[in-house]
Amino acid sequence: MSEFLSEDIQLNFYDSVASIGKSKWSRVFTDDNPFTQFEYLLALEQSLSVCSDSGWRPQHLVITSNSDVIAILPCYEKSHSWGEYVFDWAWAEAYERNGLEYYPKLVAAIPFTPVSGQRIGMISSISEVSREVVLNRITHFLNQTIKSEQFSSWHCLFLPQNDFKHLSHSTISRLGTQFHWQNKQYPHFDGFLAQLVSRKRKAIKKERKAVAYFNYDFIDGDKASKEQWQGFVHCYQQTYLKRSGHTGYLNADFFSQIASSMGRQVRLLLVTNDQNNLIASALYFVSNTHLYGRYWGCLEEVDGLHFETCYYQGIEYAIHHGLTVFDAGAQGEHKVARGFEPVETYSNHEVAHDEFRKAIYHYCQQEQQHIKQYMQDLACKLPYKEKDNLQ
C-alpha cells in the first residue's frame, strides 16, 4: 500500500485534461463510470462545450508526490450556476444584495451531468491512512485558495458517500435526492410489473399501449451511422430550443467525439414510425452495473412518448442486460409512480465569507431535515406491493 506524507504532496491547477494526459488520468479514475473517463471530459473541452466562454473554465486539481500523480479532482472556474443541478442561485442572489461577488466560484463536478461518482480520483494502491492525508491536503489547499479571494467558494458535487462523510467534518454538507430504478433480478418487464399494485400496473400498461405503434431501437454508439447521430442531435437541439430558447449545453461536435472515442459505452435509442421517419431519440450511457439516461428530444409531441422513451425502454434494457441500477437523470418525483426509488445525493461546500458561511451552513442543516422527510414521504408512495423489502 502506498504511503504519503503531507509535506511530500504538491497540488497544482491544470487548464485542460489534455495537459494532464490520458495515462495519468486513467491511473486514478479506475472504474467504468463513463462520465469520469478521460475521453468524456476531453470531448467536452475540445468541442468547446466547456470553456471560459461557456462559463466553465477548466481548473483541474492535480495532486502529486515525488512528481508522480496520485490524485486528480476535476474542477472548473464558474461564472454562473447553470448546468450544476445542485442549486445555489439563492446564495448568489444574497451575495449580490449585499454588494458582494459570488462569482467566480470553484466547482468540482462533471459539467451538465448530475450523476454521482468518483470526484476525487486516487491511485488504487493508496492506503486508507494516506487517503485521509490526501483528502485533508485537498481541503486545506482549496480553503486557502478561496481565502486568497480568487474565488468566493468551492463546491464538490455528486460525490460518493464515503468522501462526503470525510469532507463533511470540515466543510458544509448538503443532501439532495434523485430517483433511481433498482433491478431486483426481474426476469423481464412483466416480472417487474407483477411486483406493482394493480392500479399502478394498469396505468403503466395503458401508457405503454398508447405509444406501442412506434418502433424503438437501441443502437450501440460505435455502430450508429453518421445520419443516426445527426438525427439524435436534431431531436436534442429542437427540444432544448422549444423548452429553453437555446440548442442545449452540448454541441454536435461533442456528440461526434464521444461516438468516436467511447461509443461502446453509448446507446442511442431511435424512435421511428411505420414510414421509418425519426420521431424521437434518447442518449444513454452504460457501465458494468448502471444504465444512465442522459438526453432526449422529439420532433413530434406525443402524449406518453417521453415516459416510454426515457423510462420504460430504459427499464427493459436494464433487465435484459442484467444492469442493477437505472439512473434516468435529475429531479422528477413523477418517476416514483413508475417504480423509481428516492436515493440520497451528496455535495460539500466551503465559503470564504464568515457570515455567509454561517448562514449557508444553517440553511443546509435545515434543508437536510426537509430532504429526509421528503424522501420518507415519497417512499410511502412507491407502487410496489411489499415496500418493506425495498433497499
Side-chain angles (χ1 to χ4, degrees), residues 332-345:
E333 64 181 58
H334 55 274
K335 297 172 186 171
V336 172
R338 295 162 178 87
F340 288 76
E341 303 171 31
V343 299
E344 292 182 347
T345 61

Side-chain angles (χ1 to χ4, degrees), residues 304-346:
L305 186 58
H306 175 260
F307 295 143
E308 179 65 32
T309 305
C310 298
Y311 302 153
Y312 302 139
Q313 287 291 320
I315 290 173
E316 279 201 319
Y317 186 96
I319 292 173
H320 182 71
H321 293 273
L323 302 174
T324 57
V325 176
F326 173 27
D327 173 353
Q331 305 171 319
E333 64 181 58
H334 55 274
K335 297 172 186 171
V336 172
R338 295 162 178 87
F340 288 76
E341 303 171 31
V343 299
E344 292 182 347
T345 61
Y346 310 102

Side-chain angles (χ1 to χ4, degrees), residues 84-88 91 102 105-109 139 142-143 146 152-159 163-164 167-176 345-352 356-357 360-361 363-364 367-368:
E84 297 172 16
Y85 302 94
V86 177
F87 301 108
D88 63 351
W91 306 356
Y102 188 66
K105 61 179 182 176
L106 189 65
V107 177
T139 303
L142 293 176
N143 288 346
I146 63 174
S152 72
S153 52
W154 67 265
H155 313 259
C156 190
L157 312 181
F158 296 103
L159 71 167
D163 287 345
F164 166 77
L167 294 180
S168 294
H169 294 312
S170 56
T171 67
I172 300 169
S173 60
R174 194 174 186 189
L175 196 65
T345 61
Y346 310 102
S347 62
N348 292 94
H349 311 262
E350 193 52 67
V351 178
F356 269 106
R357 188 193 190 281
I360 290 170
Y361 171 81
Y363 169 82
C364 289
E367 183 187 46
Q368 280 197 27

Side-chain angles (χ1 to χ4, degrees), residues 13-17 25 35-38 40-45 49-52 54-61 73-80 83-84 104-113 119 142 151 153-155 157:
F13 287 116
Y14 283 67
D15 62 4
S16 69
V17 295
W25 191 277
F35 308 110
T36 53
Q37 290 189 15
F38 180 83
Y40 188 82
L41 296 176
L42 182 67
L44 285 173
E45 293 179 12
S49 298
V50 162
C51 61
S52 295
S54 69
W56 289 83
R57 178 173 173 252
Q59 289 282 276
H60 305 307
L61 184 60
L73 179 65
C75 290
Y76 301 86
E77 179 181 321
K78 292 296 304 298
S79 58
H80 55 68
E84 297 172 16
K105 61 179 182 176
L106 189 65
V107 177
I110 307 301
F112 325 119
T113 309
R119 289 298 170 267
L142 293 176
F151 305 104
S153 52
W154 67 265
H155 313 259
L157 312 181

